[in-house]
Every structure is written in C-alpha cells, then in structure tokens.
Amino acid sequence: MSTAVHDHTHGHDDHAHHPTGLKRYLTTTNHKDIGTMYLWFAFSMFLVGGAMAMIIRAELFQPGLQITHPDFFNQMTSLHGLIMIFGAIMPAFVGFANWQIPMMIGAPDMAFPRLNNWSFWLLPPAASLLVVSMFVPGGAVAAGWTLYPPLTVQMGMGMDFAIFAIHIMGMSSILGSINIITTILNMRAPGMTLMKMPLFVWTWLITAYLLVAVMPVLAGAVTMLLTDRHFGTHFFNPAGGGDPVLFQHIFWFFGHPEVYVIAIPAFGVISQVIPAFSRKPLFGYTSMVYATASIAILSFLVWAHHMYTTGIPLEAQLYFMYATSLIAVPTGVKVFNWVATMWKGSLSFETPMLFAIGFLFLFTIGGFTGLVLAITPVDIQLHDTYYVVAHFHYVMVAGALFSAFAGIYFWLPKWIGRMYDERLGKWHFWLSFITFNMAFFVQHFLGLAGMPRRIPDYALQFTDFNMISSIGAFGFGLSQVFFLYIVVKAIRSGEKAPARPWEGADTLEWTHLPSPAPYHSFETPPVVK
C-alpha cells in the first residue's frame, strides 16, 4: 500500500498542540486519548481479574479447603470470568480500535467523538459495580459467568449489581460499535475502497456488527432475570412454571458470537503483524475477509453446542454438531493464509512476531480441542470438566491476550514515539508462553480424568496436575507485572522510535505519520491509489 499512497505528512506540526493535565483525559474527545484510556482501564481490570485467578489457583494448589470458603470460591470464578471478558479483553480491543482505525483509514478522528467519550466513561462505574458487589450482603454473583437460573433467581443483591453492570457495559459496547461502523463506512480516505482496507479494520467492522446484534440479546436475558427476581415473572423459575433451559438458549445465542467478538479483532491484529515481520503482503487477502465474515455468520448458528447435556432432541444435537464443525473450515483458511504469508518470507522474530506465532500455535490447539468438544458424545463425557476450562483458555487467553500483546509491542513505537526494550520483550514472551502452557495444558488431562470445574476441593489423584497448573498460573501472573514494567520503562526512557521501525509495515499510520503520531492524525486525508 505504501507505494500507492501520496505523501501527506506536511501540516502536522501545525496541529500538534493539545490540552494537558488531568482535564485532557476527563473531557477528551480525541480518539488516541480515549484509546489510551481504554487500554489502561483494560489492563487494570486484567490485574483485578488476574488476582482473582490467583486466589482460585492458590485454593486449588492442594486438595482440601485452605484459604477460601466454597461460596467465596464460586464468587471468584464468576467475577473472574465477567471481569476478564467485559472489563479486560473487550475494552482492550476497543482501545486498539480507537487508536488504529482512524489512523489506518486516513481519518482525523472517530465519527462521533463525544459519543466515544461517553462510551468509555460508562465502563468504570460498571466495573466498580462488579467489584463492589463482593462487599454487599450475600456477596457477589456465584453462579459462574453464565449466570444460569434458577440459582441466579435466588441470589442476594450482588446479582442485581451484576445485572446493572452488564447493562451499562452492553450500552458502552453498542455505542462504541455504532461509532466504529459509521467511522469505517463514511470516513475512509479517498480511494480506499472496502477491499483496500487493512484487515484489522475489516475485522473491527465485522465485530461491531456482531456486537450490535448480540448485546441486546444479553440485555434481554438479564432483564428477564431481573423481573423474575423482583417483579414476580417466571420466565426461568421452574417453581412458577418457567424454564431455566430457555435462559441457556438466550444466553448462548449471545454467548457464542461473544467468543468471536473477542477472537475476530485478535485475527485482525495478527493479520497486520505477520505480514510486517514476514516482509510479504498478507496471503489471500480476499479469502481472509470472506472467511472472517463466514465465521461471524456461523457463530450465530451454533449456540446450542454449549447445551448438549440439557436434553435437547437428538436431531438438534446432530445439527449443532455439524454446524459447529463447519466453523473449522473458514478458521482453517485463516490459519493456512497466515502460514502461507510466512512461507518463504524474509522473517525476523521481534517480540510482536513472537507473540503472533505464539498466538498461532496456541489458538490452533484451542481450535482442535474445540472440534473435539463439538462432537456430541465426546462433549457429553467432558461437559463441565477441566478439559473445557483448558479449551476456552487456549482460545481466549491465547486468542485475545497473546494477540493483544503482539499488537501493543507492534504499535507502541507509533503510540508513544519510543521503542520498548527488545530483550525484555522477548523475555516477556517466553515467560508467558512457558507458564501459560504449564497452567493450562495439564488441565486437559485433569478434564479427561474427570475433574469437574468450579469446585474448591478435589480428589487426591488430581493433586500433581493441579500443583503444576497453579505454579504455571502464578508464573503467568507475574509475567504480566513484568510486562507493565516493560511498558513503563519504554514510556519513561525508551529510545526514540523512527516513523517506521518495522520495514514490512505498510499501512497509513506507518507510511504517512511520524512517531509518535500527532494529536490530530490526518487533517488532510491521504489519497489511496
């Protein structure tokens, strides 16, 4: 793309001025400031959710009850899931979207800057509600992040806090998505057709549509829960003639596309990083766009593969088994294209590339175990065991976290104008990669041996693998504190970054903007040929 674009770097010196101090961040409508706030918010929530994971793994280090009460253990597992998904992973990728989409399509800012500010500032109160719910009478929600009734119909007011928090976070996601869709469809630089957009932008366009489609479904489900709890309706309460399985249908109609809300922006980051460090264009760009759209559409058609054990008819089980297996086809296209991009490329292995390859390896394992779980008779055996925990952590942590690290190391020089310490970055990768596999690979064996999830105690034969898993989890947690040190060090004393530190990076932010990117990215849109 670099050769097809005119140079429009002039004029940026004139508009590099910007407000400073606390007020800059409280009232800002600038897409970069808001992106930065999203990323810091996501990281702080990641630490909170991570601390909960440490409590869980500390309790599971040995059999018997050591440090938590079973009810508190369940609160930790539930809040860990909710905070990681809604507080950490989703806001992190919205942070990427805010930073990158205007710069990648040659726009000055997002389409609705004030709405953008509002979308962000909905999140801190919502996250606070989730955290504060631990301290109300009855404690926080303790029914898993899936909030299954009839348990959640009976819980204390912590459940109401969670419902309110989900509503606010959902509102934030929908407002943000409308902003992203409008920005991409209306503010692209002249000459940038949809099929010339960087793949990261494509993935966010598809994700934003997914979010607009599924978040109201979740809002509906938790609103029905709320009315069951306080207004005498009996949608899900069997004591009043309701059907708890109905909640599962509604929840998973949201919940399965939600997996791809997290995974698809991650695909976008990887699709920028691998070509840059392979020094080759992305192999099969068009097929990547169609594969991503196919995955998004198929994600709506497979929700009941989470519900094989609820007694759905055999015909439905067969349909959902085949439909779920079908997702492997477009996912395979994407993995094949990433590998083909690397094939005979001039590869170098800086930290972003290491995390991208780590993503590829781990996400493929997660995909394969997903295929195993798609098979109905196997899933019935493994349902709610640690095999499932291992599977979705390979998909979610590898899919989301490793790609987010790849993206942060990749774009950090453009964001702050300074380079991170490459040696420390590689240490971060290898520590994360090894400890992650220690923590979660052994959980496959725990699941195959029959250890159920969401329990604070277990039988003696599971001890060794649980010890290995806990040691790995502690190491993985500490590695992320190390990551914080690397980022702070880069901000305070990193070497000055050139405009284009990665020679294979060829999107507009690298070819047309200095490092750090000016406060207002493109006052004059570049022309793409």
Side-chain angles (χ1 to χ4, degrees):
M1 182 180 294
S2 59
T3 54
V5 182
H6 291 308
D7 189 0
H8 278 259
T9 53
H10 64 276
H12 287 302
D13 293 341
D14 304 334
H15 57 92
H17 62 277
H18 53 76
T20 55
L22 186 62
K23 194 178 172 188
R24 165 180 174 179
Y25 288 98
L26 287 176
T27 60
T28 185
T29 53
N30 183 280
H31 73 97
K32 297 188 183 71
D33 287 347
I34 294 173
T36 303
M37 291 196 295
Y38 265 111
L39 288 168
W40 279 112
F41 171 81
F43 189 74
S44 52
M45 283 293 104
F46 173 61
L47 293 183
V48 173
M52 292 171 175
M54 295 302 102
I55 294 172
I56 294 167
R57 286 315 317 175
E59 177 57 58
L60 294 174
F61 188 73
Q62 286 186 320
L65 292 176
Q66 279 90 35
I67 59 172
T68 64
H69 186 275
D71 188 52
F72 183 70
F73 182 90
N74 283 340
Q75 291 178 32
M76 288 294 98
T77 55
S78 309
L79 285 182
H80 167 71
L82 287 169
I83 287 176
M84 283 301 195
I85 290 171
F86 294 109
I89 300 173
M90 287 171 67
F93 282 113
V94 179
F96 278 108
N98 264 287
W99 256 101
Q100 291 306 127
I101 287 174
M103 291 202 295
M104 291 176 117
I105 63 172
D109 206 310
M110 300 295 280
F112 307 119
R114 290 183 192 282
L115 190 70
N116 207 12
N117 173 290
W118 182 230
S119 305
F120 171 77
W121 283 110
L122 285 171
L123 283 179
S128 305
L129 279 173
L130 277 180
V131 176
V132 168
S133 69
M134 282 191 291
F135 306 103
V136 300
V141 57
W145 85 281
T146 49
L147 310 174
Y148 281 172
L151 198 53
T152 43
V153 177
Q154 301 158 356
M155 284 184 164
M157 62 190 291
M159 184 63 209
D160 298 319
F161 277 55
I163 290 172
F164 196 25
I166 288 169
H167 271 130
I168 299 174
M169 287 172 168
M171 201 186 307
S172 166
S173 292
I174 290 171
L175 296 180
S177 300
I178 291 169
N179 211 347
I180 287 168
I181 293 168
T182 313
T183 305
I184 295 173
L185 294 184
N186 291 295
M187 297 178 68
R188 297 191 309 279
M192 182 177 278
T193 60
L194 285 176
M195 293 311 281
K196 284 185 181 174
M197 290 195 309
L199 209 78
F200 176 79
V201 182
W202 253 116
T203 55
W204 250 113
L205 181 63
I206 293 166
T207 304
Y209 276 115
L210 263 182
L211 274 167
V212 171
V214 299
M215 288 313 290
V217 178
L218 177 65
V222 294
T223 304
M224 290 158 83
L225 261 184
L226 189 73
T227 59
D228 268 13
R229 286 169 55 80
H230 298 294
F231 302 105
T233 57
H234 295 286
F235 294 113
F236 309 127
N237 188 355
D243 182 6
V245 177
L246 173 64
F247 178 87
Q248 295 193 31
H249 280 293
I250 302 173
F251 179 86
W252 285 115
F253 191 77
F254 147 81
H256 197 76
E258 170 67 17
V259 174
Y260 293 97
V261 163
I262 290 166
I264 289 177
F267 296 161
V269 172
I270 299 303
S271 300
Q272 300 303 132
V273 173
I274 286 181
F277 292 93
S278 304
R279 292 160 182 81
K280 276 175 65 186
L282 183 68
F283 182 86
Y285 170 89
T286 307
S287 63
M288 288 293 253
V289 172
Y290 284 113
T292 311
S294 307
I295 290 170
I297 293 166
L298 284 171
S299 74
F300 283 105
L301 308 177
V302 299
W303 76 91
H305 70 214
H306 297 268
M307 299 167 57
Y308 288 146
T309 57
T310 58
I312 57 174
L314 181 63
E315 294 79 3
Q317 291 184 16
L318 279 173
Y319 159 75
F320 283 107
M321 181 174 79
Y322 292 131
T324 304
S325 305
L326 203 59
I327 292 187
V329 176
T331 310
V333 168
K334 297 185 80 71
V335 173
F336 173 80
N337 283 355
W338 287 321
V339 174
T341 305
M342 288 190 279
W343 178 254
K344 292 190 175 178
S346 181
L347 300 176
S348 61
F349 297 96
E350 288 88 343
T351 309
M353 185 63 163
L354 287 179
F355 271 105
I357 293 173
F359 160 89
L360 208 53
F361 179 74
L362 299 174
F363 190 79
T364 304
I365 293 177
F368 274 127
T369 53
L371 267 180
V372 170
L373 290 172
I375 311 298
T376 312
V378 179
D379 181 86
I380 289 171
Q381 296 299 313
L382 296 173
H383 188 79
D384 264 346
T385 67
Y386 261 83
Y387 190 90
V388 179
V389 178
H391 157 66
F392 71 69
H393 278 91
Y394 265 83
V395 172
M396 306 288 262
V397 181
L401 207 55
F402 274 63
S403 67
F405 286 140
I408 289 170
Y409 284 113
F410 183 55
W411 281 302
L412 197 64
K414 183 59 63 184
W415 294 346
I416 64 172
R418 293 179 182 277
M419 298 299 292
Y420 61 88
D421 188 320
E422 188 62 51
R423 188 173 58 88
L424 296 185
K426 286 178 176 168
W427 267 103
H428 176 223
F429 167 74
W430 284 111
L431 285 172
S432 298
F433 187 78
I434 292 167
T435 53
F436 171 82
N437 281 296
M438 271 181 75
F440 294 106
F441 194 73
V442 293
Q443 291 183 4
H444 291 108
F445 305 123
L446 285 172
L448 289 169
M451 179 172 162
R453 62 171 171 161
R454 292 174 180 153
I455 54 162
D457 190 10
Y458 51 82
L460 285 175
Q461 70 264 30
F462 303 127
T463 307
D464 291 344
F465 281 145
N466 268 301
M467 280 185 171
I468 295 170
S469 181
S470 292
I471 293 169
F474 297 142
F476 189 70
L478 286 174
S479 306
Q480 309 327 315
V481 180
F482 183 48
F483 166 69
L484 178 63
Y485 168 74
I486 296 169
V487 172
V488 172
K489 183 171 181 274
I491 293 170
R492 291 169 67 92
S493 60
E495 284 180 28
K496 189 164 170 38
R500 190 178 174 186
W502 322 118
E503 61 174 314
D506 62 356
T507 42
L508 291 180
E509 79 275 26
W510 300 112
T511 56
H512 282 65
L513 296 175
S515 298
Y519 193 61
H520 302 290
S521 307
F522 290 96
E523 279 197 343
T524 307
V527 178
V528 180
K529 288 185 178 175

